[in-house]
Amino acid sequence: MRKEKIISEYIDRLNQEQVPGKEAWAEEEIKELTDTIRALKSLEEPVYPEEGFEKQLSDTMWRAYKETGEKERKEPAKRGSKLPKRVFWGAAAAAAVFLGVLYLKGPIFSGTDPVYAMEQAYEKANAYHGILTVTSINGEGQRNVQAVREVWADKEGRYYVKELQGIQKGLITANNNKEKWQMKKEDNYISLYAAFPDNYSFTFEIGKEIKEIEEAKAVKEADEDTIGGVQAVLYKVTPKGGDTYSLWLDKNTGMPLKKQSAMVNGIAYELSYKDIAYTSSIPKEYLSYGDLTGYVVNREDNWQLCATMEEAEGISGFTPELPDISETSYSMMEISANAADKALKVYYGLDGQENKIAVIEKAAAAKEESSKAVTGSIGSIKAEIITDAEGTDIEAGSKAVSIAAESFGQQTGITSIRWQQDGIAYQIIGNGSMDEINVFVKALTGNKAVLPEVKEDTPQVKADYDIKTEEETQKGVDAGHQPWKLDPAFVAQVFTSLLLYPEGITGDYPIPYEDFKVTKNTGSSVVIEVDNKKSPVSKIYLKQLVRQDSTGIWTVVGYDKNNNYRKN
């Protein structure tokens, strides 16, 4: 084994550009082999053997060794004869020379396993730093830079990403394995999240790329290329259950330089690193958000801001259908995703104006009716329309959020349209006109949302009311008293309870709130069905008599009797 060890060390020293030890010339037989190795090293790069060659060679040599041993046992050689073993070890040394020379030229060249190349490059440091550019490419080849970001990341899963260009310019997303945060220092606002689980994965993270290529169905070398003056090798990677994408590795270092996704829904993404380099660690100041004095700190929001749609899709878990607004003056302003609810939210706006439209998409669930909504239609699809949504709780994620407080300030004239289609729940909210909202509705469905024709319903029994009393009640509600008068279902519940107990209600209401269902809403009049056998009424009719908007109180104007009701 001594000779084989000398040959192996000789090859290693040549690879490291070191002078071989003098033992390499100690024996004539070894000297002949080392001369051959030096001659091979001076040649052009060899053609890499087919996949599995090393294993085949190893198996062949092992069989040869076993056969040699069996032959020696059957036909003993003369005392002192070493020929059989010399034959075997000579072949083994030649194999070692051949395999060793394949790697004399450096870690990356045509034919090299890209997984091995990336792993070898990644092993050289604990962290890396680079400038990453994200570009979208449409079917016509038009390119649009979506984001330019500074990236710091290490092998422990910590990262610091700052958006240098794009719709989220200035946004910092970081995780120090103890806490995760998103912040914009110029806005004095920060959202804090648990470090784990972390659904955010910044685009083109090297550790993730290595794992994905290891698990890929196929990896094929396609060509050699030059990226920004750097020689690179192009590979075509086909992941399991996915579309083939392109990956460029630095020919000299093995570091990934560029990646281009497959074309999906007419869009492909190109991701390219500039000035990428290894470092020993992420600077300490980047793994702490610092003093939060004067900051608005949010610890409850499940929505995370995203710089690209690709990142939002990764967090939410589904690919949205975005409206085509190319022929409008609107432009995309902000993207956010919600991992808990598998939802996406995209804001569009007009330059220099306060008009804003939010498009929210998520996996469809059980529909929740709003007592303020009018049941309209979008073609053959049933739609929930609210033309005075300001101050109204509208579901837009993991919990109901006040649209006025969340996105549109204290503006009035907020319109919301919500519907379900093909397993997706859509909601479009905006402070523009119904016609402006319909631009987005039509872009998604091919039809506009239409309000229902107003048809007056006639109750079986008319309820008594005094308009002056209602006007005084309205003033009281405006002053903060009896806020339940703004909820027609609550008003119907109180009315029904007083029919059962005219002397007054103590304790819980006899008919639960959830048994009062809004079946018709024209905006200023509502019909509510009571789904309870204990109720003396089956339908209740309400109107906004004093003020017809979100601040107007509701008054019962009539009801239908429940024919199945039996008084206890």
Side-chain angles (χ1 to χ4, degrees):
M1 293 294 291
R2 186 183 69 84
K3 295 178 182 179
E4 287 67 46
K5 183 178 180 181
I6 292 173
I7 293 297
S8 178
E9 291 177 349
Y10 181 84
I11 293 173
D12 289 341
R13 283 177 172 272
L14 286 181
N15 279 331
Q16 298 168 13
E17 304 296 333
Q18 296 177 356
V19 178
K22 61 182 180 179
E23 63 274 8
W25 290 274
E27 299 180 27
E28 186 63 28
E29 184 179 6
I30 295 177
K31 185 176 183 302
E32 290 178 1
L33 284 171
T34 57
D35 288 343
T36 302
I37 292 171
R38 286 199 305 276
L40 286 170
K41 179 171 171 54
S42 66
L43 297 176
E44 294 297 320
E45 294 176 354
V47 176
Y48 194 76
E50 63 183 8
E51 186 177 354
F53 173 79
E54 296 94 331
K55 185 178 185 304
Q56 294 174 15
L57 182 59
S58 175
D59 292 343
T60 300
M61 298 309 299
W62 176 245
R63 286 196 301 271
Y65 173 72
K66 291 177 66 178
E67 291 172 1
T68 300
E70 291 175 0
K71 187 174 182 180
E72 284 183 319
R73 287 192 295 272
K74 292 179 181 179
E75 301 177 13
K78 294 180 180 180
R79 184 179 299 276
S81 174
K82 300 293 183 180
L83 181 59
K85 286 188 177 180
R86 286 188 62 188
V87 170
F88 170 74
W89 289 119
V97 169
F98 181 74
L99 290 175
V101 170
L102 286 175
Y103 295 95
L104 287 173
K105 293 292 182 178
I108 310 299
F109 54 82
S110 179
T112 301
D113 177 5
V115 178
Y116 173 81
M118 293 175 71
E119 287 178 338
Q120 291 299 305
Y122 199 50
E123 284 296 320
K124 293 180 181 179
N126 293 322
Y128 63 91
H129 170 245
I131 304 299
L132 178 64
T133 300
V134 181
T135 305
S136 63
I137 307 171
N138 65 17
E140 298 177 354
Q142 294 177 328
R143 303 168 64 87
N144 178 42
V145 175
Q146 290 205 341
V148 177
R149 57 175 55 135
E150 180 182 14
V151 173
W152 290 86
D154 67 14
K155 294 178 182 177
E156 303 299 321
R158 293 172 293 201
Y159 58 82
Y160 170 94
V161 179
K162 182 176 182 179
E163 306 299 333
L164 305 178
Q165 181 180 328
I167 60 175
Q168 296 294 358
K169 183 178 179 180
L171 176 69
I172 294 171
T173 304
N175 189 330
N176 61 10
N177 281 350
K178 295 179 181 179
E179 202 166 22
K180 172 187 169 182
W181 63 93
Q182 284 193 314
M183 66 188 301
K184 279 190 175 182
K185 293 184 177 180
E186 59 270 28
D187 294 341
N188 291 332
Y189 186 91
I190 184 170
S191 291
L192 300 177
Y193 310 91
F196 302 101
D198 186 359
N199 298 93
Y200 174 81
S201 178
F202 64 87
T203 309
F204 211 11
E205 193 273 306
I206 293 177
K208 181 182 177 184
E209 290 300 323
I210 293 175
K211 183 177 180 181
E212 288 184 353
I213 201 171
E214 283 177 342
E215 298 174 352
K217 181 180 179 181
V219 181
K220 295 182 180 180
E221 181 180 330
D223 200 358
E224 292 195 17
D225 201 354
T226 301
I227 306 296
V230 178
Q231 287 187 314
V233 181
L234 166 62
Y235 295 92
K236 296 292 185 179
V237 182
T238 305
K240 294 178 181 177
D243 297 321
T244 300
Y245 63 87
S246 301
L247 180 67
W248 286 260
L249 301 186
D250 187 316
K251 188 173 181 179
N252 294 317
T253 67
M255 287 292 283
L257 297 173
K258 188 169 78 170
K259 177 181 179 181
Q260 183 169 317
S261 70
M263 189 77 68
V264 178
N265 294 329
I267 296 291
Y269 290 97
E270 179 187 278
L271 320 163
S272 58
Y273 269 112
K274 178 184 177 183
D275 301 329
I276 188 167
Y278 298 113
T279 64
S280 59
S281 63
I282 301 174
K284 289 183 179 180
E285 61 268 26
Y286 291 159
L287 294 177
S288 172
Y289 44 71
D291 183 11
L292 296 181
T293 302
Y295 274 75
V296 175
V297 180
N298 179 14
R299 296 180 181 271
E300 299 180 357
D301 194 4
N302 286 326
W303 289 96
Q304 297 181 48
L305 293 173
C306 304
T308 68
M309 188 57 64
E310 186 181 33
E311 286 178 3
E313 292 171 7
I315 292 173
S316 63
F318 78 96
T319 301
E321 182 180 353
L322 296 178
D324 181 3
I325 57 168
S326 57
E327 296 184 3
T328 74
S329 299
Y330 278 91
S331 59
M332 188 182 295
M333 297 174 57
E334 186 175 290
I335 307 169
S336 57
N338 188 318
D341 291 328
K342 299 186 182 303
L344 279 164
K345 182 162 52 178
V346 183
Y347 285 105
Y348 298 86
L350 294 171
D351 290 339
Q353 298 185 34
E354 294 184 353
N355 293 52
K356 186 187 293 185
I357 304 289
V359 177
I360 303 164
E361 299 181 24
K362 67 175 184 176
K367 291 190 68 175
E368 295 185 13
E369 300 289 344
S370 169
S371 60
K372 296 194 65 177
V374 176
T375 302
S377 62
I378 304 172
S380 60
I381 302 171
K382 182 180 178 181
E384 182 186 88
I385 303 172
I386 304 177
T387 55
D388 55 346
E390 61 271 9
T392 301
D393 284 344
I394 299 177
E395 185 182 348
S398 59
K399 60 181 181 178
V401 296
S402 172
I403 296 303
E406 181 210 15
S407 306
F408 298 96
Q410 297 302 317
Q411 301 175 36
T412 59
I414 308 299
T415 299
S416 168
I417 301 176
R418 184 164 58 180
W419 73 96
Q420 293 188 8
Q421 182 180 9
D422 299 329
I424 301 295
Y426 296 88
Q427 184 178 16
I428 299 180
I429 309 166
N431 57 355
S433 65
M434 182 75 170
D435 288 339
E436 288 179 282
I437 304 297
N438 259 327
V439 169
F440 289 81
V441 174
K442 187 175 181 180
L444 286 169
T445 66
N447 294 287
K448 292 183 178 182
V450 179
L451 291 166
E453 293 183 7
V454 178
K455 184 178 180 180
E456 192 72 26
D457 291 289
T458 303
Q460 292 177 355
V461 180
K462 290 185 178 181
D464 294 329
Y465 60 85
D466 179 69
I467 189 63
K468 290 186 177 180
T469 301
E470 296 303 310
E471 289 173 349
E472 291 300 316
T473 302
Q474 178 71 66
K475 292 178 182 178
V477 172
D478 292 343
H481 305 293
Q482 295 182 295
W484 57 270
K485 284 278 191 177
L486 299 174
D487 182 349
F490 204 151
V491 174
Q493 183 185 33
V494 173
F495 176 81
T496 305
S497 299
L498 290 174
L499 287 178
L500 288 168
Y501 301 99
E503 68 280 3
I505 307 164
T506 57
D508 295 334
Y509 288 97
I511 310 297
Y513 178 84
E514 54 268 21
D515 289 346
F516 294 84
K517 309 290 185 182
V518 177
T519 59
K520 185 175 181 180
N521 188 337
T522 66
S524 59
S525 64
V526 167
V527 177
I528 292 179
E529 287 188 1
V530 187
D531 185 18
N532 192 302
K533 294 180 180 179
K534 296 180 180 180
S535 171
V537 297
S538 60
K539 286 184 180 180
I540 301 175
Y541 301 78
L542 302 96
K543 286 186 177 182
Q544 289 180 312
L545 300 174
V546 181
R547 188 184 302 149
Q548 291 75 43
D549 60 25
S550 61
T551 64
I553 64 171
W554 291 92
T555 303
V556 175
V557 296
Y559 60 89
D560 291 348
K561 295 180 180 180
N562 181 5
N563 296 327
N564 296 319
Y565 171 69
R566 295 290 182 270
K567 188 174 182 179
N568 294 332

